[in-house]
Amino acid sequence: MTDLTRLPEGYEFSADPARVDVERTHRWLSTDAYWALGRSREKHERAVAASLNFGVYDTASGEQVAYARVLTDGALFAWLCDVYVDPSVRGKGIGTALVGAVREELRPCGLRRIVLATHDAHGVYEKLGFRPLERPDQWMALVFE
């Protein structure tokens, strides 16, 4: 692993979906993440079940301190979403290490691209190789109101 994927002492990355604290991740996202405010527990559970899920855990307590999920076909495309770091551990490089570890987990798939959307964390993702879309005018979205 590169330095950008190295977690601080006392934390560990896991791709084991059984370790995800669904209650905690729902609380984080539905109450504190601008993109998911008000998300229902049922919708969160469905999203978790249909995604690859990743976490960072405090090795002493076992508590989850960060989360990310990925939607992918496993061959060509992936969407990184719901990246969240508990406020109590922000500023330690945990978010960068989490995204870097997710990138490395996906690398063997041979994906053509991993996309994401962010309002305020461009610097975190740029450190790991993410760039703005070269042709954003070619992308479209269907939004259900």
Side-chain angles (χ1 to χ4, degrees):
M1 283 193 181
T2 67
D3 287 340
L4 292 177
T5 62
R6 186 166 294 124
L7 283 161
E9 183 80 25
Y11 298 96
E12 66 181 341
F13 170 81
S14 176
D16 181 356
R19 290 189 70 184
V20 173
D21 184 334
V22 176
E23 180 178 333
R24 177 175 288 208
T25 56
H26 173 256
R27 183 176 64 253
W28 283 339
L29 296 171
S30 68
T31 65
D32 192 43
Y34 66 84
W35 65 89
L37 293 175
R39 181 183 292 173
S40 73
R41 174 70 182 257
E42 183 269 336
K43 287 250 186 189
H44 180 65
E45 289 176 359
R46 284 177 36 209
V48 168
S51 303
L52 299 176
N53 297 275
F54 305 94
V56 174
Y57 301 86
D58 181 300
T59 55
S61 68
E63 284 188 347
Q64 187 166 1
V65 298
Y67 175 69
R69 69 185 184 90
V70 172
L71 293 165
T72 184
D73 61 14
L76 301 171
F77 180 84
W79 175 39
L80 173 64
C81 54
D82 287 345
V83 178
Y84 187 90
V85 178
D86 187 274
S88 69
V89 298
R90 289 181 187 164
K92 297 181 176 185
I94 288 173
T96 301
L98 169 61
V99 174
V102 169
R103 179 192 65 192
E104 295 310 308
E105 285 285 318
L106 296 174
R107 190 178 297 279
C109 297
L111 301 170
R112 181 160 181 216
R113 71 176 38 96
I114 301 170
V115 297
L116 61 88
T118 184
H119 176 72
D120 58 357
H122 296 82
V124 170
Y125 298 106
E126 287 170 348
K127 287 187 233 176
L128 295 160
F130 286 86
R131 300 287 177 256
L133 295 173
E134 287 183 29
R135 297 291 314 266
D137 58 310
Q138 293 180 354
W139 291 77
M140 297 180 72
L142 174 62
V143 179
F144 293 101
E145 300 294 329

